[in-house]
Amino acid sequence: MKITNTLVFIVLFFSLKASAQKSDSTILKREFWFGFQTISPLGDFARKSEITLGVGIDLGFAFTPFKKNDNIQTGIDFSVGYFGMVKDSLFKTNNNLYTINLITRVKGPSQGRIMTYMDVLVGTKVFIIATHYNNDLFNFLNKNADYSTLNSRTSSLFSYGLGIGFKLIPKIKKPDGMFDFRCMFLKSGSMIYDTPYYTEKWVSETNMIIPQISYTQVIKGKKK
């Protein structure tokens, strides 16, 4: 309940800030970004999975859907996370996470070169473990490496959350790109989590914090 109340408060705060800001009704903005992230499981998910930290990449796009308001954007975000592997002399099993989220982005207060924003995210988390042969350099050089998938398990569940971030505008005239710093909190419910050893663990929640750094490319055009 505390988390829900906090999310509602943040949404209302940024919505009021967005409605108070002036917007350029003649400019259509599209933004594309690509960057890197770390993933920190929380609570029961961290304890049961024994995962401390994951790494990965994130990409997405957003655009202004309303002709008279460029303070609100919508788009999609996609990320790939890597939680490591277990291996022996013959086999290796990779542990990955994929997230796909629809975004509603609201601009927040801006000061100088810093532009703040908030994302409301709704989507899914997809956990995949996959076992392959543990090919080495000798196999690669002799062209007898086998990359076949020997075993795999996939599980997914609904998730939602918030992203809070800011963009740093470069010190150049009319910049069309900027650095983007964002931290996402993705909340989701219970699931049977498959470990890289193919053992099942019941997890009551799969919440996680995902700090990110990206480069955002802005494309502007006239609205019709």
Side-chain angles (χ1 to χ4, degrees), residues 108-221:
S110 298
Q111 183 67 40
R113 296 169 54 210
I114 296 178
M115 301 170 55
T116 63
Y117 65 88
M118 181 203 67
D119 290 338
V120 178
L121 304 109
V122 178
T124 185
K125 297 172 183 170
V126 182
F127 297 87
I128 299 178
I129 55 174
T131 301
H132 308 269
Y133 287 109
N134 189 13
N135 300 295
D136 54 24
L137 182 60
F138 180 80
N139 300 125
F140 177 77
L141 294 176
N142 284 275
K143 299 182 180 180
N144 62 353
D146 189 341
Y147 299 103
S148 303
T149 299
L150 304 175
N151 195 6
S152 67
R153 287 189 186 177
T154 301
S155 54
S156 61
L157 72 168
F158 171 78
S159 71
Y160 63 95
L162 286 181
I164 304 294
F166 69 92
K167 300 170 188 175
L168 183 61
I169 304 172
K171 289 183 177 180
I172 59 175
K173 190 175 182 180
K174 296 182 179 180
D176 58 0
M178 62 195 78
F179 289 101
D180 194 336
F181 302 87
R182 177 175 65 166
C183 186
M184 296 195 305
F185 169 73
L186 292 182
K187 182 177 177 59
S188 48
S190 60
M191 68 176 294
I192 297 176
Y193 174 72
D194 292 303
T195 74
Y197 298 98
Y198 291 93
T199 56
E200 297 180 347
K201 293 185 177 181
W202 176 258
V203 179
S204 62
E205 57 184 22
T206 53
N207 302 339
M208 55 187 64
I209 291 287
I210 308 177
Q212 300 170 327
I213 179 170
S214 306
Y215 183 79
T216 296
Q217 182 71 33
V218 181
I219 300 175
K220 299 179 181 179

Side-chain angles (χ1 to χ4, degrees), residues 46-75:
R47 291 188 294 269
K48 299 287 182 62
S49 67
E50 298 181 352
I51 297 172
T52 303
L53 191 69
V55 296
I57 59 174
D58 179 80
L59 61 125
F61 74 91
F63 65 95
T64 52
F66 305 113
K67 291 183 178 181
K68 295 185 179 181
N69 189 349
D70 63 0
N71 292 319
I72 297 177
Q73 295 178 312
T74 188

